Amino acid sequence: MQTSNTLKKICFITLSLTLVSGFLYMLPVLRVDVHAQTAAEISSKIKDVLQQREAIQKEIDALSGALDTTTRQAQTYTNALKTLDLTQKKLEANLRLTSTNLSETVLTLEQIREDIAIAEKGIASTSVAVSRNIMDMSQAESESAIEGLLKNTSISDAFDYVNALKTLQTRMKINLKTLRDNRMILGAKRDQAEGQKNKLQSYQKTLSDQKKVVEYNQDEKTKLQTQAKQTLAMYAAQLETKKKERSVFEKELFEYESKLKITLDPNSIPTARTGLLSWPFAGAFIDTCAGKQRALGNIFCITQTFGSTAFSRATGYYSGSGHNGIDFGATTGTRIQAALSGTVTDVENTTAKKGCQYGYWVLIKHANGLSTLYAHLSVVSVRPGDILTTGDTVGYSGNTGLSTGPHLHFGVYATQGVRIVRTEELKPTTTCRGIKTVAAAAKAYLNPISYLPF
């Protein structure tokens, strides 16, 4: 009776595992557009791709160094053209790097697909073995243990009968363990494949955005060369005109913001604490900037700080209210990332009006009462309502809007005091009608340096 109950338990466990295994076996395997290859061939190709990636990265590092030198020089037509040429080469190298990453991910997916196929075959063959074990044990225990022993003519045969039963049970245990192990391997491989699939989609999105940055940079170069055909002096005149337009717009915005009657609850603003926000760049950019501290005379590539700066006092910009964020000297195409998890409040990426104020920008609302602004982008990678986590891509740096050189304007606000307004609401005569801009009460402007991880 005990042997019969044991058999029933084993059969129940086996049937459950077989059904689960069968379900996993029927799940679709992630396929990629790569011809079937041996494991050795795939590993060899991955090695080649990694070597290519290393070479491209060295090329990008060299171009970054050349760009740093060029951007520190005076603003002239010749230097601006040289900067755009170097930027174009760097952007194209970034495209090649992303393409290389795509190739590596596709090959890794193919490798995982082969591992999944092996695991599935193992499950299938083990399931067959377990089924045989069940049939053998059913046959062996179709009669009572006493009857089986009495059928044997000798004690030796009786012992062989007992040993055969034990061997069947041992095989069953081994096959059940193998089945469980293969199922765990299959689950892990599918999870790994899903992760690689997400990685692949991320690279595809990055590649698409980077192509747009290349187009943007080429467009900027074409415009610059068109101006030069008329007269080299026009470049300086264009810069001066842009500075005047920025001054007018800042004045209009200041006048509008002065009329905003917004009461801020002090408890809704997080206490200033370094590290509350992360850098709006990847770590490599920050490391590079920190290394250039002596050469640039500042830290982390900051070209203008918050509040009453020497630049704001000398130029008269910002209507005497000071600079409302901090500027980072980021070359066109630098990936900009969310400084904290949050929801995209709004974006502005109107091509026809990208010469106005913040140009292309993204505003993110965070759960702690802060909002962050990322402005003068060349490409916006998100949409209003998108939910982001810290480090997610929001766009790529550029020179859009009332900007005289590639950089990122990074602003921090008390969310309670921020408003998105149409520029025609500022003043009927504004030169930047038809776009959205970010306005805030004076007390809603916060110093980003108080929250960043200095």
Side-chain angles (χ1 to χ4, degrees), residues 16-28 120 123 186 190:
S16 301
L17 286 170
T18 305
L19 287 171
V20 172
S21 303
F23 172 72
L24 287 170
Y25 183 72
M26 293 303 292
L27 284 175
E120 286 176 336
I123 287 174
L186 182 61
R190 288 193 183 280

Side-chain angles (χ1 to χ4, degrees), residues 317-338:
Y317 292 162
Y318 320 115
S319 301
S321 60
H323 188 222
N324 56 20
I326 58 176
D327 291 341
F328 292 94
T331 56
T332 297
T334 301
R335 187 177 76 85
I336 306 302
Q337 60 188 37

Side-chain angles (χ1 to χ4, degrees), residues 15 38 47 55 88 119 135 144 153 189 218 221 320 328 330 358 398:
L15 182 60
T38 65
K47 185 178 179 181
Q88 191 74 7
M135 291 174 64
S144 69
T153 56
K189 287 296 178 183
Q218 185 58 50
K221 183 178 176 181
F328 292 94
Y358 291 130

Side-chain angles (χ1 to χ4, degrees), residues 359-385:
Y360 290 174
W361 55 260
V362 173
L363 183 69
I364 302 175
K365 177 183 178 181
H366 309 289
N368 61 2
L370 296 181
S371 286
T372 50
L373 175 70
Y374 312 77
H376 302 302
L377 305 176
S378 58
V379 169
V380 170
S381 301
V382 294
R383 294 176 295 183

